[in-house]
Amino acid sequence: MPVVEILAVTEALRVPAAVDLTAIVIGALTGGLLAAREQFAVSGVLLLAVSTGLGGGLIRDVLLADGPPVALTNTAYLPTVAVTAAVTFFFSGWLSRLTGLLVVLDAVTLGFFTVIGAQKAQLAGLPSASVVFIGTVTAVGGAVIRDVLLAQRADIVQPGPYNAVAALIGAAALTVLAGPVGLAPLPVAAVVIVLVAGLRVLSVWRGWEAPVAVDLPQRARSRLVSRAPRSRTRWQLRRRR
């Protein structure tokens, strides 16, 4: 790919700073509110705000090995998270009333982080499977770190509303639309953000749960056993006739 074309693609994929910071603020809000609800000290509120706001990006940049993580080089990220943590520390009760709004904002943030991670992996020239992986990790990495700090089983591995599943579908859609289909980066980003956010909100609203492991042989055996008595009964009735 010519240098001019690479630069053009890079400019198209660059996420506006305001959008990036908004996604980080919403992520930090969810972590800070959880810490406040658990009656954590101020250090705990700050730690969870950092992990949920910046954790996914930190994991992404470490995996891509493209210099120091952006969360450490960008002068606005850490101060923004610190201010957000302070807001949740002092106004957690008021913010907790905005549960519905926070669910929607969290869903939109999931979409933004998916797009940011996947597009950055594309710029690094990674294969499609790696793009999907990096996009998903960027979206849910902060939540995983948060759950580890809370000493609980990670939320993304439990049955419940779509989280990692939505990010995985969105990252896969981005890979296809920006790859074989060949759509422009900005329309693809918009479609993927709407897709991921929509799946997340619908799963919360409709009570959809991510599928769990299924033992197909056992299920087949159970169905055969349940049908066997009916077959026997019909055969016995025919004999009596």
Side-chain angles (χ1 to χ4, degrees), residues 110-208:
L110 189 73
F112 273 115
F113 281 150
T114 302
V115 168
I116 292 168
Q119 289 188 335
K120 194 161 185 178
Q122 280 185 327
L123 286 176
L126 297 182
S128 298
S130 300
V131 171
V132 174
F133 175 71
I134 294 293
T136 306
V137 166
T138 305
V140 302
V144 173
I145 296 175
R146 176 202 66 201
D147 293 336
V148 169
L149 292 173
L150 290 171
Q152 65 184 26
R153 188 166 60 171
D155 186 55
I156 67 167
V157 301
Q158 301 187 69
Y162 295 173
N163 193 351
V165 171
L168 183 64
I169 293 172
L174 185 144
T175 304
V176 173
L177 294 175
V181 179
L183 297 180
L186 287 181
V188 169
V191 168
V192 171
I193 289 168
V194 171
L195 174 63
V196 174
L199 284 172
R200 170 67 179 168
V201 172
L202 282 173
S203 68
V204 173
W205 178 42
R206 303 287 294 177
W208 296 345

Side-chain angles (χ1 to χ4, degrees), residues 3-235:
V3 175
V4 176
E5 190 175 344
I6 292 174
L7 290 174
V9 172
T10 303
E11 284 298 321
L13 292 178
R14 188 169 293 165
V15 178
V19 173
D20 201 11
L21 283 174
T22 301
I24 290 169
V25 165
I26 298 169
L29 269 177
T30 57
L33 282 174
L34 181 58
R37 198 177 304 149
E38 296 289 331
Q39 297 293 303
F40 280 17
V42 62
S43 56
V45 175
L46 180 60
L47 187 58
L48 256 66
V50 169
S51 68
T52 51
L54 301 175
L58 285 168
I59 295 173
R60 174 202 65 211
D61 292 342
V62 169
L63 291 174
L64 293 177
D66 187 22
V70 178
L72 302 180
T73 58
N74 190 300
T75 56
Y77 282 12
L78 285 172
T80 299
V81 171
V83 171
T84 305
V87 171
T88 58
F89 187 79
F90 290 107
F91 300 99
S92 60
W94 181 77
L95 289 170
S96 296
R97 297 182 195 135
L98 306 175
T99 305
L101 177 61
L102 286 174
V103 168
V104 174
L105 292 177
D106 182 58
V108 175
T109 302
L110 189 73
F112 273 115
F113 281 150
T114 302
V115 168
I116 292 168
Q119 289 188 335
K120 194 161 185 178
Q122 280 185 327
L123 286 176
L126 297 182
S128 298
S130 300
V131 171
V132 174
F133 175 71
I134 294 293
T136 306
V137 166
T138 305
V140 302
V144 173
I145 296 175
R146 176 202 66 201
D147 293 336
V148 169
L149 292 173
L150 290 171
Q152 65 184 26
R153 188 166 60 171
D155 186 55
I156 67 167
V157 301
Q158 301 187 69
Y162 295 173
N163 193 351
V165 171
L168 183 64
I169 293 172
L174 185 144
T175 304
V176 173
L177 294 175
V181 179
L183 297 180
L186 287 181
V188 169
V191 168
V192 171
I193 289 168
V194 171
L195 174 63
V196 174
L199 284 172
R200 170 67 179 168
V201 172
L202 282 173
S203 68
V204 173
W205 178 42
R206 303 287 294 177
W208 296 345
E209 292 190 350
V212 297
V214 177
D215 187 349
L216 290 177
Q218 179 61 35
R219 178 175 288 186
R221 258 186 254 113
S222 300
R223 287 184 178 178
L224 287 173
V225 170
S226 63
R227 288 176 183 175
R230 294 180 188 174
S231 302
R232 246 181 245 143
T233 303
R234 287 175 187 169
W235 181 76

